[in-house]
Amino acid sequence: MHQKTGLVVSAHSADFVWRAGGAIAAHAKQGYNVTVVCLSFGERGESAKLWRKPGMTLEAVKADRKREAENAARALGVHDIQFYDLGDYPLQITPHAFDRLVDLYREIRPEFMLTHSRQDPYNFDHPMATEFAQHARVIAQAHGHRPDVPVLGAPPVYLFEPHQPEQCNWKPNVLLDITDVWEKKLAAIKCMEGQEHLWEYYTRVALQRGVQAARNSDYKVTYGEAYEAVFPHVTGTLGHGALA
């Protein structure tokens, strides 16, 4: 039986939790092996609480953020979490990292990929991460790149919600019901101890998207996540299907 897989490319070690934790948990529940790639630990720009502790060092911050991300990944049912340790503020994409991600695409052959919005004037690591993730996807489809390895197909790409969507030219056109796995996402959120100030914020976001999902469907949805699809959705029917 073919193993269903998904890939999430996260600029920092907490992004996959806030923005895609529900999708990860929902697909893990459906039997998908979801791989999460954290390009950095968010050690410089997203760890203010840790840096306020006396005697804190860069390596200590990284270790703490790695521990939080691994705990969150377990709470969500992540199959594999990988840390590329490319730094943050600024993120530095290396040729080795590029080849590594291309190889990962071909190895796991994801049925979907989740990553950041194409713009974010508040955090330039985010658009750099999505460009990297999407560029690597295209290279993984190229027959001339490592022709001894079968090429990747065309997994759909969904861009998860930035912190301030209106400023990022991000428009959600996919609403995902995460009601059944909300407790798992909340448990993962609470693993991110260094950014406790965001716990309530992303709970409100999930409730808001749940309201919108219910209004745009015939389903009873309490908690949701929103995504922007990069490519057209290909289907054999235009009617309502069963909610997965």
Side-chain angles (χ1 to χ4, degrees), residues 79-205:
H79 174 70
D80 182 29
I81 184 166
Q82 301 183 11
F83 300 94
Y84 281 25
D85 194 12
L86 300 177
D88 69 318
Y89 288 65
L91 184 66
Q92 302 278 5
I93 306 298
T94 64
H96 173 72
F98 202 99
D99 288 342
R100 182 179 175 183
L101 186 57
V102 172
D103 288 346
L104 180 63
Y105 269 110
R106 288 190 174 181
E107 176 190 348
I108 69 172
R109 310 189 72 78
E111 297 189 28
F112 64 87
M113 192 272 282
L114 310 179
T115 191
H116 292 267
S117 59
R118 286 169 282 206
Q119 297 180 38
D120 191 338
Y122 301 100
N123 193 318
F124 288 90
D125 289 354
H126 293 168
M128 186 177 295
T130 196
E131 181 177 346
F132 172 37
Q134 294 190 63
H135 193 177
R137 173 186 175 276
V138 171
I139 302 305
Q141 295 174 308
H143 288 269
H145 177 81
R146 293 190 59 190
D148 55 313
V149 181
V151 298
L152 181 72
V157 177
Y158 300 101
L159 310 180
F160 39 61
E161 184 161 359
H163 194 68
Q164 296 192 45
E166 299 84 356
Q167 308 304 317
C168 299
N169 290 323
W170 175 89
K171 185 176 182 180
N173 50 25
V174 177
L175 296 170
L176 181 69
D177 180 11
I178 63 168
T179 306
D180 288 347
V181 294
W182 168 249
E183 291 304 320
K184 291 183 178 181
K185 178 169 182 176
L186 182 60
I189 285 174
K190 290 182 177 180
C191 290
M192 311 315 293
E193 300 161 9
Q195 292 176 283
E196 189 175 348
H197 61 288
L198 293 176
W199 295 3
E200 183 182 350
Y201 177 85
Y202 279 102
T203 298
R204 295 198 306 269
V205 169

